Amino acid sequence: MDDTRIPIMRPFLPDTETLIPYLRRIDNNRWYSNYGPLCHELEERLAEHWSVKTTHVLSLSNATQALSIALWSVEAPAGSLCLMPSWSFVATAHAARQVGFTPFLTDVDANSAALTPDIAFASLKRAPSPVGAVIVVCPFGAPVPWEDWADFQQRTGIPVIIDAAAAFDTVQPGPVPTVVSLHATKVFPAGEGAILMCTNDDVVEQARRRANFGFLGDHHSRCHATNAKMSEYHAAVGLASLDAWPANRRRWQSALNQMRQACAQAGLADWPQGLGETYVCSSPTIRSAAASHLISGLQSDGIEARRWWQGGIASHEAFNQVPRLALPVTEQLAATTLALPCWLDIDPQSISRVAASLKRHAHPD
């Protein structure tokens, strides 16, 4: 048996030759940061990709900073609670805490694994103190009901932020600020970085100021702020990734559909709806009552598998004192969800090994 270890993922970024034209432009411009021409071009091209105005798109240094800046930019009351699902990566909670909010953890819908407006409405009634903002998470790149969240924001007057870190391919423009990660592990990578998108010009302008020491058009700082601007080098990688996006999306679809077939061959049918067909994501997950056994079995066969979000935010020591409601669905998801290996150019031999290992370990006696 092949004893080469299969990793959970292998990031795929534009190669040197692809980047050279953009790097030469940086050399010629001698402009390396501070909203340079490549950052502006990336914003313009992504605005065209999403069919929004350029003023609706902002490039930033990373998604955690972008979430914090979004909370600042909607002028949610600092010191209040920020309602969010416990079923998320810890960056969601860190982003709220670092700009003065207390994470308030709630459960998610059992089918979508996401926070829903109905759950949020019910959670507001049980909050121990005022809720000043809500962060919604797109679980592993899956879409959320964008229009319903815009309606929730309008009805309650509570600002909503969507953490769409892995959801580049499912984002829908709207008045709710949405953050997409461009980390090296994502399907649309810039090495590191993020995009904040919102059809409210004022929110994006405020975010641009907040990401630049409070400056906008002059050098007078007028608000709490930080430095979260994307560098020209990361913008160069993002532009090269955008050049390749149509072809790379097709390659992601192929890789994901091969992994879906591997799961089906093992009798594991709980594949995320639409993944590999209507959208792509770099972190495919499945649910199985035998998740722990599967992870151990795969690892014994030299195949990395893991629980991306462990037990959710509430399971981490950094957040064991924050307020939360009962989390039965989150606990069930933590016990049954596992991430499988997948990357853009995964080879047939690796797929075959994963399929054989899944089939061998899927149904323990």
Side-chain angles (χ1 to χ4, degrees):
M1 184 174 68
D2 186 355
D3 60 359
T4 304
R5 184 164 182 79
I6 297 176
I8 193 74
M9 66 167 52
R10 296 184 67 203
F12 187 96
L13 274 69
D15 62 22
T16 304
E17 291 302 314
T18 304
L19 290 173
I20 283 175
Y22 291 109
L23 298 179
R24 284 179 175 152
R25 287 174 56 187
I26 295 174
D27 291 343
N28 291 335
N29 294 331
R30 296 179 68 173
W31 193 336
Y32 307 102
S33 187
N34 293 352
Y35 299 132
L38 270 66
C39 282
H40 284 304
E41 181 177 340
L42 180 61
E43 292 169 0
E44 289 170 358
R45 290 183 57 187
L46 286 173
E48 182 179 0
H49 174 79
W50 283 313
S51 300
V52 297
K53 298 192 301 183
T54 303
T55 53
H56 294 162
V57 177
L58 175 63
S59 57
L60 293 163
S61 59
N62 64 66
T64 308
Q65 285 278 69
L67 288 171
S68 295
I69 287 166
L71 285 168
W72 262 340
S73 301
V74 296
E75 299 183 347
S80 60
L81 299 179
C82 182
L83 177 67
M84 64 183 67
S86 184
W87 187 234
S88 181
F89 185 53
V90 290
T92 309
H94 281 300
R97 178 175 273 174
Q98 73 179 5
V99 287
F101 292 86
T102 298
F104 172 37
L105 305 178
T106 191
D107 215 354
V108 293
D109 175 71
N111 292 320
S112 68
L115 178 63
T116 66
D118 285 346
I119 293 173
F121 276 120
S123 300
L124 292 178
K125 296 175 182 177
R126 302 174 62 190
S129 59
V131 172
V134 176
I135 297 182
V136 182
V137 177
C138 299
F140 306 108
V144 295
W146 313 92
E147 293 181 359
D148 291 350
W149 282 111
D151 179 67
F152 174 94
Q153 180 172 261
Q154 186 173 22
R155 289 173 61 187
T156 63
I158 298 173
V160 177
I161 311 295
I162 296 182
D163 179 349
F168 175 81
D169 201 31
T170 59
V171 166
Q172 293 183 17
V176 176
T178 300
V179 171
V180 177
S181 173
L182 306 187
H183 188 266
T185 56
K186 301 298 188 281
V187 293
F188 179 73
E192 184 58 281
I195 295 295
L196 187 152
M197 180 175 61
C198 181
T199 56
N200 184 326
D201 287 348
D202 293 338
V203 169
V204 180
E205 181 177 285
Q206 185 67 227
R208 192 176 294 275
R209 183 192 298 275
R210 300 275 189 174
N212 188 33
F213 306 105
F215 302 152
L216 189 67
D218 58 29
H219 287 86
H220 186 71
S221 183
R222 292 179 171 82
C223 57
H224 291 298
T226 186
N227 177 17
K229 301 181 295 293
M230 178 182 283
S231 78
E232 288 288 271
Y233 289 101
H234 290 99
V237 180
L239 286 165
S241 289
L242 193 54
D243 293 338
W245 172 245
N248 283 349
R249 186 179 187 277
R250 290 191 293 271
R251 296 174 73 183
W252 272 112
Q253 285 180 304
S254 175
L256 289 163
N257 283 322
Q258 290 179 68
M259 190 56 67
R260 177 179 56 80
Q261 291 167 11
C263 291
Q265 291 170 14
L268 299 167
D270 199 353
W271 182 262
Q273 184 178 0
L275 180 60
E277 297 172 345
T278 59
Y279 76 97
V280 297
C281 176
S282 59
S283 48
T285 61
I286 59 171
R287 300 185 205 175
S288 170
S292 295
H293 179 80
L294 276 171
I295 291 172
S296 297
L298 287 162
Q299 290 177 343
S300 70
D301 290 338
I303 300 167
E304 186 180 7
R306 67 172 68 170
R307 304 182 189 278
W308 278 126
W309 291 345
Q310 294 83 39
I313 295 170
S315 69
H316 292 269
E317 183 179 353
F319 299 102
N320 60 13
Q321 298 299 316
V322 303
R324 83 275 313 270
L325 299 177
L327 304 169
V329 175
T330 299
E331 291 165 2
Q332 179 67 13
L333 289 169
T336 58
T337 302
L338 69 150
L340 296 173
C342 196
W343 56 89
L344 182 144
D345 57 345
I346 192 168
D347 57 280
Q349 293 79 12
S350 293
I351 294 286
S352 296
R353 282 182 58 194
V354 172
S357 183
L358 286 173
K359 191 171 184 179
R360 185 159 48 248
H361 301 292
H363 304 289
D365 296 333

